[in-house]
Amino acid sequence: MLVKLKIPAILFSSALLLSGCGGGGGGSSANVAPDTQESVPDSTPVSVAADYRTTEYNTQYGLGKINADDIYADGYSGSGVVVGVIDTGVDIDHPDLVGNIASGGYDYVSGDTDASPTGQGAGMSHGTHVAGIIAGMKNDVGMHGVAYSAKILPLRAGDSSGSFASSAIENSIDRAISQNAKVINASFGGSSISTALADKWKLAHTNDIITVHAAGNDGGSNPLLGAQLPLHSGYEDLSSTLIAVVATNSSNTITSYSNRCGSAKNWCMTAPGDGIYSTVAVDDNNYASNYGTMSGTSMADPHVAGAAAVLRGKWPSKNASEIVTILYDTATDLGAAGIDDIYGRGLLNLDNALFAQGVLTISTASGASYSLADSSIQVASNMGNSLNGLLSMSVFDKYKRDYSFDMNGVIHYASESGLVDELNYSDTNYSSATDDLQLSVNLQDNSAKMTTQLNEVNVGFAHNTLYNSENISGFSKQYSLFDNAYLSQLKGSSSIQIAKDNATLELLSGYWDADNEQAIKEVGVSFLNDFNDDFYIKARLSYLEEDETFLSNYFSNAYKTGKAKTHALSLTSSLKPTANLNIIAQYSQGNTQVDSLSDSVISDISLLKSQYYSATVLNKNVYFDNDALFFSLKHPLQITQGSLNLSLANGLNADDSISFVDRRIPITASALSNEMSLGYTANYAKNSQASVLLNRANVLGSSIQLENQLMLKMTKKF
Amino acid sequence: MRLNRSIKHLSLIIISLFFVACSDVTKPIDTEVYLPIGMDKDGCMRYRLKPTTQMSAQVIIYKSINGGYTPNKNTSNCR
């Protein structure tokens, strides 16, 4: 029995007239005056979009209008997705369809399993044409469909004239559900719909099927009733999975015959429907070949159905509603800005639908989510380039679609002080000393050091410098005689020192960064053993605590690490064979324990072992008074043992939850080489200084380069 | 009597009008009706299928050379 659904009166004028005339039963009227008006890619991505603009592609101009080529280049074309085509039958032996026909089709007109069209009529090839638009094969013959790797489930519910019986449609929907179709194409419609059929569409909705409905060719301001189901009480939910499709021409303008989106504008979009070239039944007398053109919203409809199939193939864990939302949100706006009465959501745009939308996020195994743009890794030289080239992970857009992301894009390598900085350096030391107070200030690097003696205890304060460093005249602290390898990259610090006899206690608070956010605290105790006036050995025990970094490596937000605790031992020996010659050797070794955080991609960090060593020979007064010649050999602080464990998002599971894989990455800086420096500086005249520096240094990046550097500098102070 | 005759006449007129107005629905249920929906840019009259009781394929149709209907404009009578 046909019943009328409650819809706005203007839409139902024809049905009401029929009620008066027809003696029941009728649902449509002949009296209406004509209106004059993946996931796995389907194929290995091998090339760019242009490679997919083949003759087949260009022959069906609709493919270009919906920008289908990009998603093909990405490797997706509907593989694994079954599209139910409820129509006038599909020529399942058509050479451009035969490979894409799913088993399980049925002919509800003739009542058999052969869903091929029979009988010559204007509608004979309708279903074959629609099927070709959806999934015509990509075989360098004729044309290909939007989802050329999808499978067509042919369900014949219309006869060769193009008339569809409601009961046949209902049976077809049932079969589409039982055959696991993910999309149903409905290139038919009328001015009434039975409750039984409406309920079947609702059943498709509850079975997570996208149903795509032709808006109709009345040139009216609203789609046909099937496309308006969500307007009716009890069927509102269908708006999330039911798409009404109006037809545009090759100029992206609505065709004169197409119904407009009107009251269905929120679940309506447009696609090419005018003069579409596709497959036709081989024995259709209306056509001289196996292909031909047709026009109508019937032809626009399968473009959207095919696009839905492609997206369902690419993101199989997404439900029907989510895929439909993506299609809507990524459509190209046509007509009045925003959702409008003519084009609804706009023109189908597969290119837009492919690409990530909104803010990309990184997800952790604990369920935390971070902005990709706000998460980065700043690698210090002690890790070398150990992270390079190792990792990719899934990041997610606002629809929680997964995209592969190369983590190398978030790795930043610490810039070491190069020779440019050295070139800009000049000694601006001011110092004064009395018996009780020693003070030195360097305006160049805003550092100051002060010591005073209280009874037999030396008390000192240092700002932006280290007590145990001693610059070589004319060179920056990068070339100091003594170094604390674990603190050499400090950008700012304050420390106090208490020394008595040969024992020293030092407390330091500093930052790795100029913004004073990456904090470090250090407690150091050192003991010096004078063997004689010319030779001593100093041992230093340090405890360093970093809040957000480890050994000055900074992993932010999604990669964040917890507190790092380092215990280090440094040995320094100094020998002065002559009054002008000084030989210094240093060796440092440390163990670092880093707390892992549950809401971080970095799920665990093993115990890190690190070491540093250097040797410097300094000779003063070589050619002139107060000149200096030095040679140093240094192996930068290097992590020699340790690894990170990362829990990386790796796509989506079938239930749309995020899949994670664990990756353990060694972070030993094995590629670091010894660095060498040879320098000479002389005050050749009053206030005039000349410096020469030859360097062989590691330059950090995605690969570590050993670079030779030369600096010549002459300065004169006025 | 006159009144009864007038009522009879009036009833006949109403019934006749009713049948005239609803003449299309007297066709067999599945009769195909092709409704003209205007000319295209080449001056070809376009039709759409309008079955009396059922839903229909939403494709544009042309009159064919042999007097029937076809979705193929190339075989229509205006080519």
Side-chain angles (χ1 to χ4, degrees):
Chain A
M1 172 178 173
L2 299 178
V3 295
K4 293 178 284 295
L5 296 167
K6 192 192 299 177
I7 59 172
I10 188 168
L11 303 176
F12 252 131
S13 57
S14 61
L16 289 170
L17 177 59
L18 181 59
S19 294
C21 298
S28 108
S29 169
N31 283 1
V32 178
D35 197 329
T36 52
Q37 349 268 342
E38 228 203 21
S39 113
V40 176
D42 303 347
S43 58
T44 305
V46 292
S47 52
V48 296
D51 295 336
Y52 287 85
R53 293 178 211 132
T54 59
T55 302
E56 272 185 293
Y57 180 93
N58 292 324
T59 300
Q60 206 291 69
Y61 82 89
L63 296 174
K65 289 293 171 185
I66 64 171
N67 297 321
D69 48 358
D70 274 304
I71 203 161
Y72 301 151
D74 201 44
Y76 294 91
S77 49
S79 180
V81 179
V82 173
V83 181
V85 175
I86 302 176
D87 216 292
T88 62
V90 176
D91 185 349
I92 59 176
D93 295 321
H94 193 290
D96 227 355
L97 292 171
V98 64
N100 281 348
I101 301 297
S103 60
Y106 200 83
D107 182 346
Y108 288 102
V109 177
S110 303
D112 56 51
T113 57
D114 183 358
S116 299
T118 59
Q120 296 291 332
M124 180 192 185
S125 284
H126 187 265
T128 303
H129 201 267
V130 163
I133 296 169
I134 295 170
M137 293 159 58
K138 187 174 185 300
N139 54 5
D140 296 326
V141 176
M143 46 73 70
H144 70 67
V146 176
Y148 57 76
S149 299
K151 297 293 184 195
I152 296 292
L153 179 69
L155 299 162
R156 186 165 183 248
D159 62 21
S160 65
S161 72
S163 296
F164 289 68
S166 185
S167 59
I169 300 169
E170 293 160 23
N171 289 331
S172 296
I173 295 171
D174 279 337
R175 196 164 186 96
I177 293 169
S178 69
Q179 296 295 317
N180 297 316
K182 292 294 180 188
V183 181
I184 293 176
N185 187 87
S187 286
F188 55 83
S191 52
S192 68
I193 185 171
S194 70
T195 300
L197 179 53
D199 287 345
K200 289 298 182 187
W201 287 127
K202 190 172 182 178
L203 188 62
H205 164 78
T206 56
N207 277 276
D208 195 39
I209 296 175
I210 297 171
T211 61
V212 191
H213 299 250
N217 300 330
D218 304 315
S221 52
N222 293 293
L224 296 170
L225 292 192
Q228 293 199 59
L229 270 180
L231 288 176
H232 309 301
S233 177
Y235 299 91
E236 295 91 342
D237 290 350
L238 271 66
S239 66
S240 65
T241 58
L242 182 154
I243 307 175
V245 184
V246 301
T248 40
N249 59 24
S250 58
S251 302
N252 294 343
T253 304
I254 189 93
T255 60
S256 60
Y257 51 78
S258 174
N259 287 339
R260 278 51 174 163
C261 286
S263 55
K265 63 185 177 184
N266 286 327
W267 56 89
C268 181
M269 63 194 311
T270 187
D274 199 51
I276 300 298
Y277 185 80
S278 182
T279 48
V280 297
V282 172
D283 53 358
D284 186 347
N285 293 338
N286 289 299
Y287 292 89
S289 75
N290 299 341
Y291 301 89
T293 58
M294 292 189 195
S295 297
T297 53
S298 275
M299 282 63 246
D301 203 45
H303 282 85
V304 176
V310 172
L311 297 191
R312 297 209 81 164
K314 178 160 176 57
W315 291 288
S317 67
K318 297 299 169 199
N319 64 33
S321 172
E322 289 166 326
I323 294 294
V324 169
T325 300
I326 292 166
L327 287 171
Y328 289 158
D329 290 354
T330 57
T332 303
D333 194 17
L334 294 180
I339 302 170
D340 64 78
D341 289 338
I342 296 175
Y343 301 98
R345 299 281 186 156
L347 177 64
L348 174 66
N349 189 334
L350 258 182
D351 187 16
N352 273 355
L354 167 67
F355 291 110
Q357 305 289 319
V359 175
L360 285 172
T361 56
I362 300 168
S363 292
T364 70
S366 66
S369 181
Y370 301 90
S371 162
L372 174 65
D374 294 339
S375 302
S376 63
I377 297 173
Q378 292 176 33
V379 178
S381 60
N382 55 59
M383 262 173 68
N385 63 344
S386 55
L387 292 183
N388 182 49
L390 290 173
L391 307 171
S392 68
M393 65 175 171
S394 296
V395 295
F396 301 89
D397 75 348
K398 70 176 185 179
Y399 305 113
K400 198 184 160 191
R401 293 184 292 177
D402 58 307
Y403 293 84
S404 181
F405 178 74
D406 181 355
M407 284 184 71
N408 288 306
V410 302
I411 297 173
H412 306 285
Y413 294 95
S415 59
E416 306 289 341
S417 296
L419 287 188
V420 173
D421 294 336
E422 196 62 28
L423 195 62
N424 290 326
Y425 179 82
S426 67
D427 283 340
T428 50
N429 281 313
Y430 298 92
S431 59
S432 67
T434 66
D435 288 346
D436 296 328
L437 180 69
Q438 292 183 329
L439 176 67
S440 67
V441 175
N442 189 324
L443 298 179
Q444 174 81 21
D445 56 10
N446 193 27
S447 66
K449 194 189 302 185
M450 180 196 78
T451 58
T452 185
Q453 189 159 20
L454 301 172
N455 296 325
E456 293 182 347
V457 176
N458 280 314
V459 178
F461 170 80
H463 179 66
N464 288 347
T465 188
L466 301 174
Y467 276 109
N468 59 338
S469 69
E470 181 180 325
N471 283 17
I472 299 171
S473 174
F475 295 99
S476 72
K477 63 185 178 185
Q478 189 180 348
Y479 300 93
S480 64
L481 283 180
F482 306 97
D483 203 359
N484 185 336
Y486 289 92
L487 298 174
S488 63
Q489 297 300 317
L490 283 176
K491 293 291 185 294
S493 66
S494 296
S495 60
I496 58 173
Q497 184 188 55
I498 300 169
K500 186 170 190 307
D501 299 329
N502 288 332
T504 304
L505 170 68
E506 187 176 26
L507 305 173
L508 177 141
S509 176
Y511 299 93
W512 295 122
D513 62 324
D515 297 328
N516 295 353
E517 291 177 349
Q518 300 164 21
I520 178 170
K521 298 181 184 68
E522 190 234 14
V523 178
V525 180
S526 56
F527 303 94
L528 186 145
N529 190 2
D530 284 314
F531 292 93
N532 54 51
D533 288 344
D534 302 323
F535 179 54
Y536 72 80
I537 292 178
K538 187 167 73 174
R540 178 185 173 89
L541 292 169
S542 301
Y543 170 75
L544 299 91
E545 198 171 278
E546 299 166 80
D547 288 343
E548 299 173 332
T549 57
F550 59 95
L551 298 176
S552 78
N553 295 285
Y554 180 45
F555 288 43
S556 71
N557 288 335
Y559 319 105
K560 64 188 173 188
T561 55
K563 201 177 282 288
K565 299 162 188 166
T566 300
H567 298 86
L569 169 65
S570 296
L571 297 172
T572 305
S573 67
S574 172
L575 174 66
K576 289 186 174 179
T578 67
N580 292 323
L581 188 63
N582 194 358
I583 303 170
I584 299 114
Q586 285 188 287
Y587 176 80
S588 302
Q589 181 173 314
N591 289 345
T592 303
Q593 183 68 53
V594 188
D595 293 342
S596 54
L597 300 173
S598 62
D599 54 350
S600 171
V601 168
I602 311 293
S603 57
D604 181 52
I605 303 177
S606 71
L607 181 71
L608 306 178
K609 295 190 174 183
S610 54
Q611 68 174 21
Y612 163 90
Y613 51 84
S614 69
T616 303
V617 179
L618 172 68
N619 198 359
K620 292 181 177 175
N621 305 320
V622 182
Y623 306 110
F624 307 99
D625 286 346
N626 293 322
D627 69 353
L629 174 69
F630 76 92
F631 172 77
S632 71
L633 176 72
K634 180 168 72 175
H635 192 84
L637 182 67
Q638 170 190 2
I639 295 174
T640 55
Q641 182 181 317
S643 59
L644 302 177
N645 196 72
L646 298 94
S647 287
L648 298 172
N650 183 37
L652 293 164
N653 296 315
D655 63 357
D656 207 41
S657 62
I658 298 172
S659 169
F660 287 90
V661 292
D662 282 352
R663 295 272 187 270
R664 185 161 283 280
I665 309 296
I667 54 171
T668 52
S670 54
L672 281 179
S673 301
N674 291 331
E675 298 182 338
M676 289 181 283
S677 298
L678 176 64
Y680 176 76
T681 182
N683 295 314
Y684 63 91
K686 188 178 181 184
N687 291 328
S688 299
Q689 190 176 50
S691 304
V692 180
L693 184 63
L694 272 168
N695 249 358
R696 188 166 171 81
N698 293 290
V699 176
L700 220 59
S702 56
S703 64
I704 297 177
Q705 308 287 333
L706 201 57
E707 197 170 274
N708 295 319
Q709 305 163 337
L710 169 64
M711 183 192 77
L712 299 171
K713 183 169 73 172
M714 297 183 72
T715 57
K716 181 168 180 60
K717 296 177 182 173
F718 298 97
Chain B
M1 286 296 282
R2 275 180 76 88
L3 183 62
N4 283 342
R5 201 174 299 148
S6 297
I7 290 172
K8 278 183 181 175
H9 288 156
L10 188 61
S11 300
L12 277 173
I13 291 168
I14 290 171
I15 291 168
S16 300
L17 284 172
F18 186 89
F19 274 102
V20 167
C22 303
S23 58
D24 278 351
V25 299
T26 62
K27 291 180 178 178
I29 284 178
D30 287 334
T31 295
E32 301 153 18
V33 177
Y34 295 95
L35 298 175
I37 58 171
M39 302 281 194
D40 67 11
K41 65 182 189 310
D42 298 322
C44 297
M45 180 58 74
R46 294 181 293 206
Y47 297 83
R48 63 183 170 87
L49 184 64
K50 191 77 179 178
T52 52
T53 63
Q54 299 181 326
M55 288 184 236
S56 60
Q58 295 303 311
V59 63
I60 299 299
I61 292 169
Y62 300 88
K63 267 197 170 168
S64 65
I65 299 167
N66 62 14
Y69 291 89
T70 177
N72 185 5
K73 187 176 173 182
N74 291 330
T75 60
S76 66
N77 64 359
C78 69
R79 303 296 281 186

